Amino acid sequence: MLNTIFMPEISLLLMALILFFMTLGNFRTGTVQAISLVLAAITLVITIASLGTQGLMFYDAYQIDALSQLFKVVIVLGLFLVFFLGTGLTGIEEKLHTEYNMFLTISAMGLMFLSSSVELLTILLSLEISSYALYVVIPFRRGKGRIHVESGIKYILFGAVSTGLTLYGMSYVFGLAHTTYLSELQEVMPALVATQPLAVLAIILVMIAFFYKLAMFPMHFWAPDVYQGAATETTSFVATLPKVAAVLLLLRFVAVAGFDVSQVTWVLGTIAVLSMTLGNLSALVQTDLKRLLAYSSIAHAGYVMLGILTADEVGMSAAVFYVIGYLLMNLGIFFVLYNIAPKGQNVTFDDLKGLSRRSPLLALTLLVAAFSMAGVPPTIGFIGKFMLFTGAIHEGFYALVIIAVINAAAAAFYYLKMARAAYCAADSDLEVIVLPFGAKIMGTFFILVIILIGALPQSLLAAAKAAVATLL
Amino acid sequence: MENYLILNTLNFPILSTLLILPVIGAIVAMFLRGDTMLKYWGLAVTLVTALASLPLWSSFDQTTAKYQFVELRHWFPALHLDYVLGVDGISVLLVLLTTLIMPLCILCSWTYIKTRWKEFVIVTLLMETAMLGVFLSLNTVLFYIFWEGMLVPMYLIIAIWGGARKDYASIKFFLYTFAGSIFLLVAIIAMYITTGTFFIPELMDHSFGFSYQMWIFSACAIGFAIKMPMFPFHTWLPAAHVEAPVAGSVILASILLKMGGYGFLRFCLPMAPAATAYCMPFMIVMSLVSIIVGGYLALGQSDIKKLIAYSSVGHMGFVTLGIFLLNDAGIKGAMLQMLNHGVTTGALFILIGIIYERTHSREIADNSKLGMFMPIYVTFLGIFSLSSLAFPGTNSFVSEFLVLYGAFDKFPLVGAVSILGAILAAAYMLRLLQKMVWDDSDGHVHHGHDDHEGGESHALFDCNAREFIQLAFLTVFVFWIGLHPTPLLDMMDSSVTHLLHQIDAGSIVPEAVKHGESHALLENAGAWIKNLF
């Protein structure tokens, strides 16, 4: 029994081990990528098979439920897509390719542990497993520049600070409630939050590490520099998978803090507003697309928070739905960026010009993903925003929704700028981008998924609802 | 739910067919090669769609205000979101207008669009589906999806095939309308939370509290006023019109602008009747300002497209004026004015496209003295200009007459002011006509047959058969509606009567506000704002 419900983690662990042994030998990039993809695919199948299982492990610190399994599927799917979209690993130092895949796998494994952890120290350990692997990976970028080392250091420093703050918060929580188990905290915390300001502070401090992962105000400073400094493949990982896990943990903590509108809600609401406004306003003036996506991710973190803070079924399932959609559309854009820059350089708006001539498929993928980010129907991004707003209005947060709506309108500008750059004529004739067969499949996959889930969101939404039901 | 609907009396799902035909056409177009092939394919698909829509005219039941040809499928059961399509007297004519204008959009682009025909056909066909979807949806979310989905193809049409300042114009168009309509989304969700339904007829029957109605009304009205466009929100229109390719201008003028008026009639009036009655004076004043300002600005333009764009602001002012008069003649006049504007202004933009292809200029001064070279063109120009200034016997006369009648019936002063708009229309259209057909006052004959070197000498040939057919087709409507509008008015009759009933039944509340305590509204709003935070 234990073994079958723990199979996804074991599979990923084996994958990391196999990759570790491969680092000892000398393999061509193609081989490494093929093996990684196959192993990731196997893990994906195993994880999907584990959907619906339930159980508690390791002295009840590790909980397998609908929520964790759904997020594990998303994490493994994301890992698979990240491997797939960066097939050539052109942005990574040649001799580090095997190590690169190994560290990404370990980080994904940490995130997987994180999605099942229901005890504060286990959460911290899982978080650190996933973070440390990423700290190593960010400076792996090809080339002599200092920018990737700088961004690596920034990521570590901010990570260390946020982890420290989280630990500090955990000490308060333990001092107040005398337990580190979320299930026990859930019984005592609501009363404490209602009466003791310290409990509010403690909960918010505990969340800091996840604000950091989610690139949410006030822990957002690293995002633009790290996005810009890391290779596109790395950025596509940093920008998506840790955020998915962070949303899950924030959901768990909000559930712990209680469902009544409390001071925690007000703090989270303020953070959400600041995050989306700051992110959108800064994104308006960016020229480097990765920097722009970093600011846009700060804004999206604000939108997701709108669903998390409602702490009811509609809002939380909307947050789950939104973050899954966000993963897909964000990876769609990174897929385009990766394929535009064959040498792994950063992409600016000028590089997008004439893209529709150079590669119609890439241009269409960018168009669909950008409009989805902006929330134009019939895409996954629209349904996500629609559900988030529905959840928030349902709980009476009209002001938050109106601010979010104004933000969404402002954000449309820079997403539109991307689409426009791709479809306007280039000044000079650029060479055609020839996509390998795999990339063509990938582009078509992103276009279809973003539009089809947008048009028929029923089953994914039902899965999200079933998942958050375990929190309520 | 079935109380409001008449299930489809035809034996096949005609409305879904209308929606799906262009999509299938667009998908097939992806695999076609060769510009000529694509042109004919686009034309064929739009023509078939137009033919398929004709049963809506012949089988429409004029005696009922219920929704007809209804199709109902469950789509998203968790949220009670259904796929409901249907038409009534308010939407059916707009649907027909859309299907009939679209083939002309392909035809008028025949030589105007020179690059990327494949994308053009795909985008235009998707545009048709989205526009039809707006008029056919009986579900607020479905409506919103088509409403927003329409922005993307329109944006691409301007951004890819537009003129020199296409970047500016396309972004301005998108952001303006997106910002407006996103408030509509908030209203839609808020109404859903209160009533538990997205179904438009049920929302119409639900009576909301007065201050709630005010919020709903303002949220919707911003979106629709921008689309319309009404006076303070009109600045995107000239930019978009001037830069759009001819097909884009025709779609914008003929169909897109109608969605604002349609939105007012579908959402604001029946769902927030008390708020409508309360805001009526304000909306009427803004309509008058639109009429006067639109006409006044049109008077000063030297760019033909800009002139027509500003004249659209004025004409749409008559539409909002008619709608917010809240009487039978006003609303019927407004709806007829929407159709007429679609026919007349669409034709004027086609005419501009024709002359632009020959002289490559939209300046009035560069296109003068055309009477010497292009008699057929000038004839059509004359007909549509007269129609635009509401000359008796043409279509616009009937609709403006109805609106003015409604205005004088209710507020004579409003009627008197709006007459001024009609005079302005005559002034700028006759000035345009005179300059383009006869004028040689500036003395330089720049496109003459003989004083230019060889390459330019064929510049001014008259309309060819393709252009003649488009214009002749629209001319039929000018005189048909102008001389015998009864069939159209009959079609909208029961729906308009029903709408007026809804407004009368719902607008009792503001009486209490008007008399009694006029501060009640303010207090309500204050309480509301407090609730917000």
Side-chain angles (χ1 to χ4, degrees):
Chain A
M1 182 62 199
L2 270 187
N3 296 338
T4 52
I5 57 175
F6 204 52
M7 268 310 272
E9 286 85 343
I10 292 177
S11 169
L12 212 55
L13 190 65
L14 284 176
M15 179 175 167
L17 270 179
I18 292 172
L19 285 168
F20 171 68
F21 284 117
M22 284 178 73
T23 59
L24 303 177
N26 227 341
F27 291 95
R28 279 179 36 241
T29 308
T31 324
V32 174
Q33 282 294 61
I35 290 175
S36 309
L37 275 176
V38 170
L39 290 175
I42 293 171
T43 315
L44 185 60
V45 172
I46 292 173
T47 319
I48 291 173
S50 80
L51 273 174
T53 52
Q54 288 193 338
L56 281 170
M57 302 170 75
F58 307 127
Y59 306 99
D60 296 350
Y62 201 79
Q63 182 180 329
I64 313 281
D65 52 22
L67 187 62
S68 70
Q69 296 317 95
L70 176 67
F71 273 79
K72 282 175 194 169
V73 171
V74 175
I75 287 166
V76 180
L77 175 72
L79 183 70
F80 180 80
L81 290 177
V82 168
F83 282 149
F84 202 164
L85 75 83
T87 324
L89 289 179
T90 48
I92 305 298
E93 195 69 50
E94 194 82 46
K95 54 180 193 275
L96 292 173
H97 282 180
T98 327
E99 284 85 346
Y100 179 77
N101 278 5
M102 180 188 80
F103 281 120
L104 286 195
T105 312
I106 292 176
S107 181
M109 195 175 70
L111 296 174
M112 233 182 187
F113 290 151
L114 196 57
S115 48
S116 268
S117 307
V118 289
E119 194 263 347
L120 292 181
L121 290 178
T122 321
I123 289 172
L124 196 76
L125 277 178
S126 318
L127 181 71
E128 291 301 272
I129 293 175
S130 79
S131 300
Y132 274 92
L134 280 186
Y135 295 154
V136 181
V137 152
I138 284 171
F140 273 17
R141 191 174 190 178
R142 185 199 299 268
K144 282 231 168 62
R146 276 188 307 186
I147 181 163
H148 46 274
V149 182
E150 180 194 324
S151 64
I153 290 175
K154 273 187 183 151
Y155 197 56
I156 295 177
L157 286 180
F158 276 101
V161 169
S162 62
T163 316
L165 287 171
T166 296
L167 258 176
Y168 186 51
M170 283 178 178
S171 71
Y172 275 148
V173 170
F174 182 68
L176 285 164
H178 307 293
T179 176
T180 55
Y181 285 92
L182 294 189
S183 55
E184 292 171 17
L185 284 172
Q186 198 157 3
E187 286 159 19
V188 289
M189 271 325 255
L192 285 173
V193 167
T195 52
Q196 303 215 16
L198 190 62
V200 177
L201 184 68
I203 286 283
I204 300 294
L205 279 175
V206 168
M207 288 180 178
I208 287 280
F210 303 99
F211 291 162
Y212 157 75
K213 283 277 176 203
L214 199 54
M216 184 132 188
F217 182 90
M219 300 306 291
H220 64 278
F221 295 101
W222 60 274
D225 292 333
V226 170
Y227 273 48
Q228 189 185 19
T232 309
E233 301 89 323
T234 321
T235 315
S236 64
F237 186 94
V238 175
T240 49
L241 294 187
K243 300 198 170 171
V244 174
V247 166
L248 170 61
L249 263 292
L250 287 174
L251 286 174
R252 285 202 196 278
F253 283 124
V254 168
V256 161
F259 299 113
D260 289 336
V261 175
S262 64
Q263 298 185 19
V264 175
T265 317
W266 292 119
V267 177
L268 295 183
T270 315
I271 288 175
V273 166
L274 286 170
S275 198
M276 57 180 104
T277 313
L278 200 108
N280 277 329
L281 291 184
S282 315
L284 288 176
V285 294
Q286 303 302 322
T287 51
D288 187 319
L289 283 177
K290 274 156 80 183
R291 254 188 120 73
L292 184 145
L293 285 173
Y295 283 111
S296 106
S297 82
I298 297 170
H300 281 280
Y303 301 138
V304 175
M305 191 42 104
L306 219 58
I308 295 173
L309 61 83
T310 58
D312 72 347
E313 195 193 5
V314 186
M316 287 169 119
S317 60
V320 172
F321 183 92
Y322 195 79
V323 77
I324 295 173
Y326 178 70
L327 176 120
L328 289 169
M329 54 208 189
N330 219 1
L331 284 180
I333 292 191
F334 278 112
F335 159 75
V336 176
L337 297 190
Y338 176 80
N339 280 294
I340 290 175
K343 297 195 192 74
Q345 68 273 38
N346 276 7
V347 178
T348 59
F349 275 110
D350 289 338
D351 299 326
L352 282 183
K353 278 189 181 159
L355 185 63
S356 66
R357 285 258 177 243
R358 297 172 68 200
S359 168
L361 181 67
L362 284 185
L364 188 62
T365 315
L366 185 72
L367 183 82
V368 170
F371 277 121
S372 179
M373 296 268 243
V376 177
T379 57
I380 194 168
F382 166 70
I383 296 287
K385 279 213 177 71
F386 177 71
M387 296 304 300
L388 282 176
F389 294 165
T390 310
I393 291 184
H394 195 71
E395 288 293 304
F397 296 112
Y398 286 94
L400 285 183
V401 171
I402 288 171
I403 293 171
V405 156
I406 294 169
N407 262 295
F413 174 73
Y414 57 84
Y415 294 123
L416 209 59
K417 230 162 87 178
M418 285 159 71
R420 179 185 64 173
Y423 275 90
C424 78
D427 304 331
S428 57
D429 281 340
L430 294 155
E431 75 273 33
V432 173
I433 300 174
V434 183
L435 290 177
F437 182 66
K440 279 185 188 159
I441 293 181
M442 192 89 179
T444 322
F445 166 80
F446 280 124
I447 294 170
L448 286 181
V449 159
I450 290 172
I451 291 179
L452 283 184
I453 301 186
L456 307 162
Q458 191 56 38
S459 50
L460 184 56
L461 205 66
K465 275 216 169 110
V468 296
T470 57
L471 286 174
L472 301 167
Chain B
M1 189 182 263
E2 277 70 23
N3 306 341
Y4 309 103
L5 311 173
I6 298 176
L7 291 172
N8 203 342
T9 46
L10 300 169
N11 284 326
F12 81 113
I14 180 168
L15 301 183
S16 290
T17 312
L18 291 183
L19 283 187
I20 206 77
L21 270 178
V23 175
I24 295 175
I27 292 172
V28 173
M30 286 180 195
F31 302 102
L32 294 179
R33 278 176 197 284
D35 283 358
T36 323
M37 178 81 176
L38 280 158
K39 285 177 195 176
Y40 280 107
W41 175 250
L43 183 63
V45 174
T46 47
L47 277 178
V48 169
T49 316
L51 288 178
S53 69
L54 290 182
L56 290 184
W57 171 262
S58 52
S59 313
F60 188 81
D61 182 359
Q62 300 179 353
T63 56
T64 173
K66 290 184 177 184
Y67 298 89
Q68 310 184 25
F69 309 106
V70 165
E71 287 164 45
L72 174 62
R73 279 184 197 82
H74 296 291
W75 172 41
F76 204 169
L79 280 175
H80 313 291
L81 233 171
D82 302 313
Y83 171 81
V84 205
L85 303 179
V87 290
D88 66 350
I90 294 175
S91 55
V92 65
L93 294 171
L94 293 168
V95 171
L96 288 166
L97 176 73
T98 310
T99 55
L100 292 179
I101 289 286
M102 287 314 282
L104 300 184
C105 290
I106 302 280
L107 271 179
C108 70
S109 309
W110 209 260
T111 50
Y112 188 96
I113 300 284
K114 294 189 173 59
T115 53
R116 302 206 202 180
W117 258 92
K118 175 179 278 191
E119 286 92 336
F120 182 76
V121 169
I122 294 172
V123 163
T124 313
L125 291 177
L126 291 179
M127 187 77 200
E128 177 164 18
T129 295
M131 292 187 300
L132 288 172
V134 168
F135 294 131
L136 296 177
S137 311
L138 289 185
N139 174 313
T140 48
V141 174
L142 204 59
F143 174 90
Y144 185 79
I145 287 178
F146 284 119
W147 175 274
E148 289 285 71
M150 192 175 60
L151 293 184
V152 181
M154 193 64 222
Y155 166 76
L156 289 176
I157 287 178
I158 301 177
I160 299 181
W161 295 278
R165 289 170 74 224
K166 60 188 177 187
D167 285 357
Y168 166 78
S170 57
I171 290 251
K172 190 167 182 180
F173 162 76
F174 191 99
L175 288 183
Y176 233 112
T177 37
F178 189 76
S181 49
I182 204 150
F183 287 99
L184 184 64
L185 180 65
V186 178
I188 287 172
I189 297 176
M191 287 194 286
Y192 169 67
I193 301 288
T194 323
T195 62
T197 180
F198 288 117
F199 186 52
I200 290 179
E202 275 179 15
L203 289 172
M204 288 177 180
D205 272 7
H206 196 279
S207 49
F208 301 99
F210 180 64
S211 55
Y212 196 85
Q213 283 192 22
M214 285 301 288
W215 286 99
I216 298 288
F217 182 87
S218 349
C220 295
I222 289 179
F224 298 139
I226 287 177
K227 202 72 153 199
M228 196 92 198
M230 232 169 148
F231 163 62
F233 307 116
H234 68 281
T235 57
W236 64 270
L237 185 74
H241 261 322
V242 169
E243 300 307 328
V246 55
S249 293
V250 173
I251 293 176
L252 261 178
S254 297
I255 306 160
L256 235 63
L257 302 191
K258 310 300 164 306
M259 290 176 180
Y262 176 73
F264 277 123
L265 292 170
R266 242 316 166 262
F267 280 73
C268 291
L269 266 58
M271 290 183 197
T276 304
Y278 188 83
C279 295
M280 179 180 74
F282 176 72
M283 297 304 280
I284 285 182
V285 169
M286 291 322 283
S287 309
L288 290 179
V289 174
S290 291
I291 293 173
I292 305 292
V293 168
Y296 191 68
L297 289 175
L299 208 50
Q301 301 304 321
S302 62
D303 181 318
I304 312 175
K305 255 189 166 177
K306 255 193 179 155
L307 190 149
I308 306 294
Y310 280 115
S311 85
S312 289
V313 177
H315 287 146
M316 296 319 278
F318 274 104
V319 174
T320 38
L321 174 63
I323 289 174
F324 282 95
L325 285 171
L326 303 182
N327 57 15
D328 187 64
I331 291 183
K332 277 186 186 164
M335 287 173 53
L336 202 58
Q337 172 82 346
M338 291 203 271
L339 299 178
N340 291 337
H341 181 260
V343 170
T344 305
T345 311
L348 284 171
F349 277 115
I350 293 177
L351 283 164
I352 298 170
I354 292 173
I355 195 68
Y356 184 73
E357 279 187 77
R358 286 159 173 70
T359 63
H360 303 287
S361 168
R362 291 186 307 257
E363 290 296 310
I364 297 176
D366 295 340
N367 292 314
S368 54
K369 224 178 169 188
L370 296 177
M372 276 176 71
F373 314 112
M374 304 172 72
I376 302 176
Y377 178 86
V378 162
T379 311
F380 282 120
L381 186 66
I383 292 172
F384 290 113
S385 304
L386 291 180
S387 155
S388 180
L389 62 86
F391 196 73
T394 61
N395 53 355
S396 305
F397 174 72
V398 182
S399 50
E400 283 192 19
F401 177 79
L402 277 170
V403 173
L404 288 176
Y405 170 74
F408 277 112
D409 192 36
K410 206 160 182 176
F411 309 111
L413 189 64
V414 171
V417 176
S418 52
I419 286 276
L420 207 62
I423 296 169
L424 276 171
Y428 61 73
M429 282 321 290
L430 287 177
R431 169 176 158 266
L432 175 77
L433 195 61
Q434 185 253 342
K435 288 233 163 132
M436 280 181 74
V437 179
W438 297 286
D439 184 52
D440 57 348
S441 57
D442 53 353
H444 73 280
V445 183
H446 30 78
H447 46 50
H449 278 211
D450 27 43
D451 52 343
H452 262 300
E453 57 268 33
E456 296 268 319
S457 62
H458 304 294
L460 280 179
F461 49 90
D462 210 339
C463 296
N464 57 29
R466 173 177 58 79
E467 291 155 351
F468 184 81
I469 289 171
Q470 302 166 38
L471 296 169
F473 178 71
L474 291 173
T475 312
V476 172
F477 285 95
V478 169
F479 291 113
W480 177 38
I481 305 177
L483 300 175
H484 187 57
T486 332
L488 295 173
L489 293 173
D490 283 348
M491 279 189 94
M492 41 181 104
D493 192 49
S494 2
S495 291
V496 171
T497 315
H498 179 65
L499 179 65
L500 287 168
H501 275 303
Q502 284 175 322
I503 297 167
D504 288 341
S507 54
I508 303 151
V509 189
E511 296 302 322
V513 179
K514 255 185 226 159
H515 316 297
E517 340 81 78
S518 59
H519 293 294
L521 175 71
L522 282 177
E523 277 169 21
N524 276 338
W528 244 85
I529 288 168
K530 265 182 214 154
N531 284 341
L532 281 179
F533 288 98

